[in-house]
Amino acid sequence: YTILSKVHSDRNVYPSAGVLFVHVLEREYFKGEFPPYPKPGEVSNDPITFNTNLMGYPDRPGWLRYIQRTPYSDGVLYGSPTVENVGKPTIIEITAYNRRTFETARHNLIINIMSAEDFPLPYQAEFFIRNMNVEEMLASEVLGDFLGAVKNVWQPERLNAINITSALDRGGRVPLPINDMKEGVYVMVGADVPFSSCLREVENPQNQLRCSQEMEPVITCDKKFRTQFHIDWCKISLVDNTKQVSTFQEVIRGEGILPDGGEYKPPSDTLKSRDYYSDFLITLAVPSAIALVLFLILAYIMCCRREGVEKRNMQTPDIQLVHHSAIQKSTKELRDMSKNREIAWPLSTLPVFHPVTGEIVPPLHTDSYDNTSMPLMQTQQ
């Protein structure tokens, strides 16, 4: 059901369109490409990572994915080739990096996509397995066990694994690192016979209600998967291509749709140097000159066009100026008189008792003192 190949230099593989393709990049093979371990007698366990890209491009084709969990695990290329790529050889450059010695080794993988006569299979079902990661599901023995369980439930004549997708690629969240939680994986399979009654049970109104209430539906054939695979039956997708009507409509070019301009052609490397002097004048010199002119006009208006005090007095009536002058003179005279006062505080404001001992304080003058000539206010000392 899957095409599994070992890595070799310039290896040719022949996957079928619409069938899952898996290619393993084994670290053991690439260890021979790097120098031996420095300590004799010790087994080399260098961390090795891989970089894969389509020849002449920075990334892989859209249908091909790559995963390597740690530098000490094998890398896996997987995906489902499309019909559009049939007959076109796809050359994948595989570069291995030794993280200990920083050396590299490069091999080419030539993928020749073949057309499948029985593709596409009309009945397709997509399962969500909660207790698996994508690299675990890509193992041939694990995927074979899953397809065997599906075949036991579905009973088709032809059954193919079409595609495998990690739940993280569907917008899923990274699981917490507790209890060995898995991220989950979507597995799409196709068959040539209609769906079995067991798979149709998820469409029952009772199970749909339980799914809407976030409860697990009741599926009779779940026990055939439960021993190894925990399937979320609320996320199963059943597609019957025999009943689907083509909704393709011819695109009418108009506003909002750009014409096909062909491939992107980057500018040449021999570009002429550009003179930025005119740009400098436009962006800095011209606004600065305008600001300076406006500043000079404002300064002339504020400083050189003042009317002054004389013009103000000439436009003010004489009687108003006389009243204003009289008020100023009276105010000044009162202030001068308040400064020249030589009087003391009245006796009523002096303390009668000592503030500390509480004894009676004798008067400041004797009884024979003539207080009739004492001013009402005394000067404060």
Side-chain angles (χ1 to χ4, degrees):
Y1 301 109
T2 61
I3 298 177
L4 187 63
S5 59
K6 303 292 184 179
V7 64
H8 293 284
S9 176
D10 295 343
R11 174 70 182 272
N12 284 271
V13 292
Y14 300 89
S16 298
V19 180
L20 180 65
F21 166 74
V22 180
H23 181 81
V24 180
L25 307 180
E26 294 183 347
R27 296 175 63 255
E28 293 295 333
Y29 175 82
F30 284 94
K31 286 181 180 179
E33 301 287 335
F34 303 115
Y37 204 68
K39 296 181 181 180
E42 294 187 6
V43 179
S44 174
N45 191 25
D46 297 338
I48 299 176
T49 58
F50 300 95
N51 182 35
T52 60
N53 64 281
L54 183 63
M55 178 175 288
Y57 295 88
D59 203 355
R60 297 173 299 276
W63 62 269
L64 188 63
R65 294 192 178 108
Y66 168 75
I67 185 172
Q68 183 184 16
R69 190 67 64 174
T70 64
Y72 297 95
S73 60
D74 296 335
V76 181
L77 283 168
Y78 66 99
S80 180
T82 59
V83 182
E84 291 79 6
N85 303 114
V86 173
K88 301 177 182 178
T90 303
I91 302 177
I92 303 298
E93 295 180 340
I94 302 173
T95 306
Y97 296 89
N98 189 324
R99 296 302 177 181
R100 179 180 64 87
T101 61
F102 299 100
E103 292 187 350
T104 61
R106 176 169 292 182
H107 297 271
N108 293 333
L109 177 68
I110 304 175
I111 303 176
N112 302 280
I113 302 174
M114 310 297 293
S115 61
E117 297 178 357
D118 55 349
F119 178 82
L121 294 175
Y123 302 97
Q124 300 176 3
E126 186 177 55
F127 300 85
F128 177 64
I129 305 175
R130 293 178 293 186
N131 64 328
M132 287 287 176
N133 289 336
V134 63
E135 71 276 6
E136 298 174 345
M137 198 66 198
L138 289 172
S140 58
E141 59 276 5
V142 177
L143 186 58
D145 294 341
F146 177 75
L147 293 177
V150 174
K151 190 172 183 178
N152 190 15
V153 172
W154 201 338
Q155 297 296 330
E157 295 182 3
R158 294 193 307 271
L159 181 69
N160 287 336
I162 297 178
N163 200 3
I164 291 180
T165 308
S166 172
L168 301 182
D169 297 334
R170 297 285 188 89
R173 301 179 62 181
V174 178
L176 295 175
I178 56 177
N179 300 329
D180 195 21
M181 296 181 65
K182 305 295 183 178
E183 62 192 30
V185 60
Y186 290 88
V187 181
M188 177 177 287
V189 297
D192 56 346
V193 297
F195 303 107
S196 63
S197 58
C198 173
L199 299 179
R200 290 288 187 183
E201 290 179 1
V202 72
E203 299 177 351
N204 295 338
Q206 296 81 3
N207 288 331
Q208 291 294 325
L209 179 61
R210 295 177 66 89
C211 289
S212 62
Q213 297 175 354
E214 298 183 356
M215 299 175 61
E216 189 172 358
V218 179
I219 307 296
T220 57
C221 59
D222 180 59
K223 58 183 179 180
K224 297 184 179 181
F225 297 91
R226 182 64 63 176
T227 56
Q228 188 177 0
F229 307 100
H230 295 172
I231 297 178
D232 189 347
W233 292 99
C234 291
K235 293 185 178 180
I236 188 173
S237 176
L238 304 178
V239 179
D240 187 356
N241 291 326
T242 60
K243 297 181 180 179
Q244 289 186 351
V245 181
S246 178
T247 58
F248 175 77
Q249 296 180 358
E250 183 180 358
V251 178
I252 301 176
R253 298 189 179 278
E255 296 182 358
I257 300 179
L258 299 178
D260 187 8
E263 296 183 357
Y264 171 71
K265 297 181 180 180
S268 61
D269 297 335
T270 58
L271 296 177
K272 297 181 180 180
S273 60
R274 182 178 176 183
D275 186 11
Y276 291 94
Y277 181 73
S278 59
D279 297 339
F280 169 77
L281 294 179
I282 295 175
T283 57
L284 294 179
V286 174
S288 300
I290 296 175
L292 180 61
V293 172
L294 295 177
F295 175 76
L296 294 177
I297 294 175
L298 182 62
Y300 172 75
I301 295 174
M302 297 295 295
C303 301
C304 302
R305 300 286 296 176
R306 296 186 61 184
E307 296 179 350
V309 179
E310 296 181 358
K311 185 174 182 180
R312 183 198 63 186
N313 294 340
M314 292 176 59
Q315 295 181 354
T316 305
D318 294 340
I319 186 63
Q320 185 175 353
L321 294 176
V322 171
H323 289 172
H324 179 71
S325 178
I327 292 173
Q328 286 186 336
K329 291 180 180 179
S330 301
T331 303
K332 185 175 182 304
E333 185 177 358
L334 290 175
R335 290 179 178 176
D336 294 340
M337 292 175 61
S338 63
K339 292 180 181 179
N340 297 329
R341 288 186 301 178
E342 297 292 337
I343 57 177
W345 290 94
L347 295 177
S348 60
T349 62
L350 296 178
V352 180
F353 299 95
H354 195 274
V356 179
T357 61
E359 298 179 355
I360 298 176
V361 179
L364 297 179
H365 52 81
T366 58
D367 295 338
S368 61
Y369 181 77
D370 186 9
N371 56 7
T372 57
S373 62
M374 179 180 294
L376 183 59
M377 304 293 290
Q378 295 183 358
T379 303
Q380 182 180 5
Q381 301 296 331

